């Protein structure tokens, strides 16, 4: 009796941890639609609401000098994730903030699936996020001088893990 209850709870949790097919499809469709459409902008995507916005030069450490963020309307990595998830869930589920703030709103994915967010850094300090699309690839806003694009997950060498709502 106990084992069947535990098995049922495990099954319910496993099914509940995967976004519904319509949400997953919307996450992927939204992310794919942004490829090549928006430049990377440090702090972009964090205005009053999700979506492209001018960035900020506060904290900027990019290679391009002087900092172009304040005159570039675009998205940084967490701004991209925030906007894609807002479109898919029909409201701003990640909210403003950094990759660390977003990670706190999610739970680890036991098995990575397209539509999950892939984080880089450590559990104490993340520094990058992309939208996982499968086959070891992600859609992401990589760095100043690039546009939203597809990159291999191993483009960065400090993968933390995959997370979802």
């Amino acid at each position: 009796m106990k084992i069947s209850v535990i098995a049922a709870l495990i099954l319910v949790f496993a099914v509940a941890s995967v976004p519904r097919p319509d949400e997953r499809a919307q996450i992927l469709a939204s992310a794919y639609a942004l490829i090549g459409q928006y430049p990377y902008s440090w702090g972009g995507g964090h205005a009053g609401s999700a979506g492209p916005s001018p960035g900020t030069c506060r904290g900027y450490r990019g290679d391009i000098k002087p900092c172009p963020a304040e005159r570039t309307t675009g998205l940084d990595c967490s701004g991209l994730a925030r906007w894609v998830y807002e479109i898919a869930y029909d409201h701003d589920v990640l909210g403003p903030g950094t990759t660390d703030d977003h990670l706190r709103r999610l739970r680890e994915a036991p098995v990575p699936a397209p539509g999950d967010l892939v984080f880089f850094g450590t559990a104490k300090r993340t520094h990058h996020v992309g939208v996982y699309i499968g086959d070891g690839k992600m859609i992401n806003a990589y760095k100043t001088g690039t546009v939203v694009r597809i990159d291999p997950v191993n483009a960065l060498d400090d993968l933390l893990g995959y997370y979802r709502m």
Side-chain angles (χ1 to χ4, degrees):
M1 180 70 167
K2 267 188 173 181
I3 293 187
S4 63
V5 170
I6 292 170
L9 288 173
I10 289 171
L11 180 62
V12 166
F13 178 75
V15 170
S17 70
V18 177
R20 292 189 321 259
D22 57 328
E23 289 168 347
R24 184 167 300 286
Q26 189 61 47
I27 291 168
L28 294 171
S30 301
Y32 274 107
L34 300 179
I35 294 172
Q37 300 299 312
Y38 295 96
Y40 180 93
S41 182
W42 177 260
H46 296 287
S49 60
S53 69
T56 181
C57 289
R58 188 177 40 211
Y60 176 79
R61 292 184 198 84
D63 296 333
I64 298 174
K65 306 291 186 202
C67 168
E70 291 173 343
R71 61 183 187 278
T72 304
T73 297
L75 302 162
D76 68 6
C77 64
S78 57
L80 170 70
R82 178 185 180 196
W83 195 27
V84 165
Y85 267 50
E86 178 187 82
I87 293 166
Y89 289 93
D90 206 26
H91 66 285
D92 191 3
V93 294
L94 294 178
T98 66
T99 54
D100 289 331
D101 298 320
H102 291 173
L103 185 65
R104 285 189 281 275
R105 295 179 181 104
L106 303 168
R107 64 181 178 282
E108 191 166 8
V111 176
D116 290 343
L117 296 179
V118 55
F119 284 84
F120 299 85
T122 67
K124 291 187 179 204
R125 179 83 170 105
T126 58
H127 65 86
H128 192 73
V129 63
V131 179
Y132 185 62
I133 58 172
D135 294 325
K137 294 182 177 146
M138 64 180 166
I139 295 174
N140 84 117
Y142 188 62
K143 65 179 185 175
T144 302
T146 66
V147 295
V148 174
R149 66 190 197 180
I150 296 176
D151 285 309
V153 169
N154 65 6
L156 294 122
D157 60 7
D158 58 348
L159 172 68
L160 174 62
Y162 300 83
Y163 293 79
R164 62 178 64 131
M165 294 304 301

